[in-house]
Amino acid sequence: MSAASRNVDTAPGLSDSDVAGLLEKEAAAYFPAGKAKNIEKMSGGASRETWSFDWQGADGSSTGLILRRDPGNTGSTGEEGWRGGKTTYSLDRTTEAELQRTVYEAGGLVAKVHFALPEDHSLGGCYVMDRIEGEVLAPRILRDEAYAGARKTMARQCGEILAGLHAVDPAALPKNLVQMPVQPLIAYYRELLDGISEFYRDNTKVGRPEYHPAFELTFRWLEQNMPKNAPSGMVHGDFRNGNFVVGAEGIRAVLDWELGHVGDGMEDLGWLCVRAWRFGQHDKPVGGFGQREDLFAGYEDAGGRKVDPKVVHFWEVLGTLKWGIICMFQAYKHLSGLIDSFEHMAIGRRACENEIDLLKLIEEA
Amino acid sequence: MPQDRASAEELLGGVEAFLRKDVLPQLSGASIYKCRVAANILSIVQRELALGESADSAELQGLQSLLGREGEEGDSATQLDSLNADLCASIRGGELDDQRTAVMSHVRSTLQDKLAIANPRYAGYRESLGD
């Protein structure tokens, strides 16, 4: 069997009209009398789907909503670990919805969740939340005149949002949220790098492993520069431009909570400063829109702990390493037959962009 | 024996130009992105054909002088793999901690050669060259 065809026959999934029908039925059971209108698939992919719709009540009211679901209700839990196509310790939809609710109740900038359905439901693991209007595409947020004002305040606002997030009472968090302090996180990416290289050596026609001395230098540097006594709390895990809904006044909501975990909050600050999120705006290290000083000041002024720039730098290094290894992983997904996408294959050639940046980052420190 | 013209680079260049000039303007939606990626891939392969061999031999020389050995006998891929395996294991084990400057300088120049093929416009690459 050609590896590239494997996923085609194991994950049947639902047709778009099946999803729309089931969604309408579930929404009718949850919301007061009314109808689902304008059901539209916004984005689809191997891992997650987003649907937009409106609930029009019999009383004339209308609510904009989003469905976030796993495509295919079989197969997703059959394969364990990264070899099954998961890059991470990702949360299932039920836990993600629960986490979003916790943050919402704590006053965080997140869409309100209305209802969630478990993985064995015919619609698959999914949840329905409010649709927050605004721009999500990072390059537009960074370039369009409409967001010029927002860009000036977003670094500070990110600090404020993160301070609130990191202060969420750990006792209120979903019970199965993963503990991911720095060491297991590093070990996770170590395993990913080695696993991909071994797969190439043993299972591909080329039959050669892949070597990344710059990643090795970085792993060594991380070992030697690990922050001591980091406090533990909630971490968003993918807090960056691209996961923000932005309006003229700034960030309106934070999306994509599936990498949420318990760890060192400085991880979120460092990740936001990784070069990949600057989309060419190199003089603005915070997400392509702002300066580190503003991010840190926003964080501290909103009650976050005193920021040690060295610790944030550590997490920026780890974030850049993660992104480089994820580039390898994208190519691996195609070369191992998990997906059929030549675009993913080409991303493997971008790992070296992160490596050259890493050399500079570990020299600066 | 060399193949007849057009050469591999010339063939790829022709297809790349076709994608960019003729195909791309006719596309819409997600295909635009895919077509750009396809054309970029062809330009990576052209650069690799032009620069790959000298990049490999520079990497091999750098590894040999850094590690003080020839590497496993065989073709250049075998030699490179054996020396890179040594380099990675030595960095990981801390054996090269006291030669950090030499290691960094070798790794940087290898990465510059990779980026000259993969993405010569990358800002981090231009910065590393001092542009």
Side-chain angles (χ1 to χ4, degrees):
Chain A
M1 179 178 69
S2 110
S5 69
R6 199 193 310 150
N7 63 337
V8 177
D9 41 53
T10 52
L14 299 171
S15 73
D16 287 2
S17 62
D18 289 343
V19 172
L22 284 164
L23 173 60
E24 184 151 21
K25 195 169 143 240
E26 291 303 324
Y30 175 83
F31 292 110
K35 265 182 130 158
K37 291 268 185 191
N38 309 321
I39 302 180
E40 195 189 334
K41 187 172 172 178
M42 294 169 72
S43 69
S47 61
R48 218 66 66 227
E49 272 180 21
T50 306
W51 293 67
S52 168
F53 68 106
D54 297 309
W55 186 256
Q56 291 188 345
D59 59 356
S61 64
S62 178
T63 313
L65 297 157
I66 292 287
L67 166 76
R68 181 165 157 84
R69 74 180 284 269
D70 295 331
N73 52 7
T74 58
S76 62
T77 54
E79 290 173 293
E80 290 297 321
W82 62 268
R83 289 167 189 83
K86 284 172 155 184
T87 37
T88 52
Y89 32 90
S90 324
L91 303 178
D92 59 55
R93 267 359 85 225
T94 313
T95 313
E96 188 184 10
E98 210 185 314
L99 177 61
Q100 234 178 280
R101 277 184 173 135
T102 308
V103 174
Y104 182 81
E105 276 153 29
L109 269 186
V110 65
K112 180 184 175 181
V113 173
H114 291 282
F115 63 90
L117 299 169
E119 257 172 72
D120 58 2
H121 189 278
S122 50
L123 200 48
C126 64
Y127 59 96
V128 166
M129 59 183 153
D130 277 342
R131 185 176 69 229
I132 314 279
E133 306 295 340
E135 184 55 66
V136 176
L137 290 175
R140 282 199 199 146
I141 293 167
L142 294 183
R143 288 186 187 99
D144 278 14
E145 196 44 42
Y147 308 107
R151 287 196 289 273
K152 290 201 178 99
T153 56
M154 272 169 62
R156 191 179 168 82
Q157 195 194 0
C158 282
E160 293 163 359
I161 294 170
L162 285 173
L165 215 57
H166 298 161
V168 170
D169 178 9
L173 294 171
K175 294 286 166 285
N176 48 346
L177 214 57
V178 191
Q179 298 273 343
M180 264 303 193
V182 62
Q183 273 164 327
L185 205 59
I186 292 174
Y188 177 86
Y189 285 94
R190 173 87 253 173
E191 193 211 330
L192 191 57
L193 170 63
D194 292 345
I196 293 169
S197 181
E198 280 160 24
F199 178 89
Y200 288 157
R201 184 192 61 206
D202 301 338
N203 300 91
T204 61
K205 202 169 153 195
V206 178
R208 290 176 70 181
E210 193 167 294
Y211 296 105
H212 291 274
F215 290 157
E216 299 300 338
L217 285 165
T218 306
F219 276 116
R220 184 78 185 140
W221 184 92
L222 291 169
E223 263 174 46
Q224 293 168 330
N225 290 275
M226 209 165 294
K228 306 264 182 316
N229 310 315
S232 179
M234 180 192 164
V235 177
H236 178 280
D238 199 8
F239 190 87
R240 58 167 173 95
N241 208 350
N243 281 333
F244 302 148
V245 182
V246 173
E249 76 291 356
I251 298 171
R252 291 176 178 166
V254 179
L255 304 172
D256 204 342
W257 295 76
E258 77 171 284
L259 299 183
H261 58 272
V262 176
D264 180 355
M266 290 301 128
E267 180 186 345
D268 281 332
L269 280 78
W271 184 238
L272 181 60
C273 295
V274 167
R275 184 174 212 150
W277 314 132
R278 295 179 202 163
F279 298 93
Q281 310 292 311
H282 300 301
D283 55 337
K284 301 191 180 69
V286 180
F289 49 76
Q291 300 303 322
R292 290 188 182 87
E293 296 70 35
D294 295 324
L295 172 72
F296 301 167
Y299 190 79
E300 290 173 5
D301 292 349
R305 76 187 213 239
K306 176 105 185 84
V307 177
D308 179 350
K310 275 195 179 149
V311 174
V312 179
H313 179 81
F314 172 90
W315 285 104
E316 183 181 334
V317 172
L318 178 46
T320 308
L321 173 76
K322 271 167 65 178
W323 188 243
I325 295 175
I326 290 171
C327 287
M328 290 173 66
F329 184 71
Q330 301 301 326
Y332 160 85
K333 282 200 267 188
H334 176 90
L335 295 171
S336 66
L338 283 165
I339 60 169
D340 179 8
S341 159
F342 75 90
E343 312 93 280
H344 278 77
M345 186 163 57
I347 297 173
R349 291 291 185 105
R350 304 193 62 177
C352 55
E353 296 176 4
N354 297 279
E355 289 182 90
I356 201 97
D357 289 344
L358 282 167
L359 290 188
K360 193 166 173 228
L361 287 169
I362 62 177
E363 250 178 1
E364 274 170 5
Chain B
M1 189 181 71
Q3 301 299 311
D4 299 333
R5 299 286 282 270
S7 71
E9 283 156 279
E10 288 161 345
L11 290 169
L12 289 168
V15 180
E16 186 195 347
F18 167 68
L19 288 180
R20 291 196 200 272
K21 288 188 197 138
D22 297 339
V23 180
L24 199 54
Q26 300 185 45
L27 298 176
S28 62
S31 316
I32 295 180
Y33 169 73
K34 287 196 184 195
C35 186
R36 283 210 186 103
V37 175
N40 285 341
I41 289 174
L42 296 183
S43 65
I44 292 173
V45 180
Q46 289 168 75
R47 289 190 295 265
E48 183 167 326
L49 287 169
L51 304 170
E53 213 168 302
S54 70
D56 279 359
S57 67
E59 184 178 3
L60 185 58
Q61 266 188 348
L63 284 163
Q64 286 170 335
S65 86
L66 185 66
L67 300 171
R69 350 178 228 285
E70 291 293 304
E72 209 173 291
E73 254 180 73
D75 57 10
S76 101
T78 310
Q79 268 184 306
L80 277 170
D81 284 350
S82 73
L83 291 167
N84 269 320
D86 282 358
L87 173 63
C88 288
S90 308
I91 295 171
R92 201 170 166 172
E95 287 102 85
L96 288 169
D97 282 358
D98 56 353
Q99 291 180 61
R100 196 163 184 261
T101 316
V103 174
M104 294 281 268
S105 138
H106 162 74
V107 174
R108 177 172 296 107
S109 93
T110 305
L111 283 170
Q112 285 169 338
D113 287 349
K114 273 192 187 181
L115 280 154
I117 292 168
N119 185 5
R121 290 194 302 186
Y122 183 64
Y125 167 64
R126 314 293 331 171
E127 285 166 21
S128 88
L129 293 174
D131 287 10

